Amino acid sequence: MPVTKKSSSLDLPLAGLAALFLGSGTLHLVKPQVFEPIVPPQLPDARKVVEVSGVAEIVCGLGLLHPRTRRIAGLASAALLAGVFPANVQMSVDAGRRANRKRTAKAAGFFAGTLARLPLQWPMIKVALRAGKGNQA
């Protein structure tokens, strides 16, 4: 008889996404100054935006870990990832400007990392949406 995954099982991509959210959310709260520069200037109180987004990431990460909350957490995670994408683009733009100004290997490497990160948003959104559908198999 073939072994099938239950829809409530926590697979590696989902566990990875939860871990990313938990780590990033914690970093938002422990070192908010790292994230404040990428908050759009149209939003008031960058520190508060960073703190709220950090709490949202932690809540999503925890929600993804439990089968009873996974569906809503998956949908919320997809929305959060889409919502922060402009900030990630802004981070890349700023890093590119800095790399162009400084012309150091470290600045160029950081810029390359921010660019490489952008297309990774899509697979993370796909994992979150799969969780939101209750489709873990």
Side-chain angles (χ1 to χ4, degrees):
M1 179 184 253
V3 177
T4 59
K5 268 187 178 176
K6 291 183 179 178
S7 66
S8 64
S9 67
L10 184 66
D11 63 13
L12 188 58
L14 195 52
L17 182 60
L20 283 171
F21 272 133
L22 292 169
S24 178
T26 300
L27 189 57
H28 276 68
L29 299 177
V30 174
K31 293 230 175 238
Q33 65 277 13
V34 170
F35 300 94
E36 288 173 4
I38 64 171
V39 174
Q42 300 84 353
L43 296 176
D45 197 352
R47 174 68 54 103
K48 185 65 75 184
V49 170
V50 169
E51 291 170 347
V52 168
S53 65
V55 169
E57 287 187 9
I58 291 169
V59 169
C60 285
L62 290 172
L64 290 170
L65 294 174
H66 196 282
R68 292 184 120 187
T69 55
R70 189 168 297 142
R71 189 163 189 224
I72 189 70
L75 296 173
S77 297
L80 181 59
L81 286 163
V84 301
F85 187 74
N88 293 335
V89 170
Q90 186 62 54
M91 180 185 282
S92 289
V93 169
D94 293 344
R97 288 181 181 145
R98 199 167 32 258
N100 194 37
R101 196 173 56 251
K102 290 185 173 185
R103 302 215 182 265
T104 64
K106 182 177 178 181
F110 182 75
F111 174 51
T114 66
L115 288 177
R117 175 182 170 196
L118 293 176
L120 296 177
Q121 293 286 118
W122 178 242
M124 291 190 301
I125 290 171
K126 282 179 63 176
V127 169
L129 288 174
R130 181 171 48 87
K133 290 180 184 173
N135 237 354
Q136 299 309 299

